[in-house]
Amino acid sequence: MSIFQNATFYTTVNHLKDLPPTRVEVAFVGRSNAGKSSAINTLTNRTRLAYVSKTPGRTQHINFFDLGGERFMVDLPGYGYAQVPEPVRAHWVQLLGRYLQTRQSLVGLILIMDARHPLKDLDLQMLDFFGDTGRPVHILLSKADKLSRQEQTKTLAKVKQALAERAERQPVSVQLFSSLKKQGMDSVEKVVADWFALAEETQAPHDAADEPTDDGQTG
């Protein structure tokens, strides 16, 4: 059975102090309109678990989904969409950044990129930023159905080559993915399942008191 099959909405938070205690979680992130919500819906076999909006930037909070067995999936705010009020965008940046840098139960990051426009500056900045944690990143080249088979092969090879020089700094892998064609689902599930299994073998019991609050304190 898919590890995403029984996903249910758990909670949504807008401040670090409200993050729920979890044992292990994997986060999904990407530029606005890269296909993140569609990918989550496809993996969970739901139509509206993650809301797909025609207006990029709708996800303004950190949304948690319970996968069962003390495992969680986290939908993070999309980045790179400028047509929101500056105070809101600044809050997103702080919330997203602090979460990625400090969340102890986060075992890996699924980074969604549009296969037609991969490795944009903000994507590279995200890789650099998360690379400081030493935790793995798995890239989904979404909307692969928009490319021909030849274009898919060339794009995948190009992205892999570009990421090769980062291998010493951070574990990073990449695959093609299509929500429309359900392409690449098994590969994503295996990556996430392996992350969870490894973390659960080595992880000490999680203590929510060690999580930082919005003022930088633990509590």
Side-chain angles (χ1 to χ4, degrees):
M1 178 183 293
S2 166
I3 59 174
F4 300 108
Q5 187 70 36
N6 295 318
T8 56
F9 177 77
Y10 186 72
T11 190
T12 184
V13 303
N14 194 32
H15 300 281
L16 290 175
K17 62 182 177 61
D18 296 324
L19 290 172
T22 65
R23 185 181 182 192
V24 289
E25 62 196 43
V26 59
F28 284 66
V29 72
R31 286 187 295 119
S32 297
N33 211 27
K36 173 171 58 72
S37 294
S38 294
I40 290 174
N41 288 335
T42 297
L43 289 167
T44 58
N45 195 29
R46 309 291 177 82
T47 56
R48 292 175 65 85
L49 187 69
Y51 189 84
V52 180
S53 173
K54 292 183 179 179
T55 303
R58 182 185 182 280
T59 303
Q60 301 177 16
H61 300 75
I62 296 178
N63 297 310
F64 284 77
F65 300 92
D66 190 347
L67 302 179
E70 298 183 279
R71 298 172 170 184
F72 288 80
M73 175 177 63
V74 184
D75 183 11
L76 298 176
Y79 56 85
Y81 186 65
Q83 295 183 13
V84 293
E86 180 57 32
V88 173
R89 191 159 64 90
H91 176 69
W92 291 1
V93 171
Q94 182 185 41
L95 181 65
L96 184 62
R98 292 291 306 283
Y99 167 83
L100 290 171
Q101 286 279 309
T102 63
R103 184 65 167 171
Q104 295 182 11
S105 54
L106 178 61
V107 300
L109 184 68
I110 301 293
L111 176 55
I112 292 88
M113 302 182 191
D114 189 323
R116 299 166 297 177
H117 313 288
L119 298 176
K120 293 294 187 181
D121 286 345
L122 287 175
D123 297 325
L124 295 175
Q125 289 176 27
M126 175 60 69
L127 284 170
D128 287 339
F129 185 78
F130 193 67
D132 292 338
T133 69
R135 294 169 184 169
V137 179
H138 186 62
I139 296 172
L140 302 190
L141 297 176
S142 66
K143 307 183 183 182
D145 55 279
K146 305 290 187 182
L147 303 177
S148 68
R149 287 294 183 89
Q150 183 178 17
E151 289 171 333
Q152 288 183 22
T153 300
K154 290 176 63 177
T155 298
L156 183 60
K158 182 179 179 180
V159 172
K160 284 184 175 180
Q161 182 179 12
L163 295 173
E165 59 192 45
R166 295 175 173 267
E168 293 184 2
R169 182 183 182 194
Q170 64 186 144
V172 57
S173 51
V174 60
Q175 69 163 93
L176 294 164
F177 187 85
S178 169
S179 296
L180 182 64
K181 302 292 186 180
K182 299 186 183 301
Q183 175 185 353
M185 292 178 61
D186 289 346
S187 298
V188 186
E189 291 171 2
K190 184 180 187 310
V191 167
V192 174
D194 288 347
W195 285 352
F196 281 151
L198 180 62
E200 288 163 352
E201 288 176 4
T202 60
Q203 188 180 69
H206 177 69
D207 186 352
D210 292 334
E211 293 289 357
T213 59
D214 293 273
D215 61 4
Q217 303 296 315
T218 57

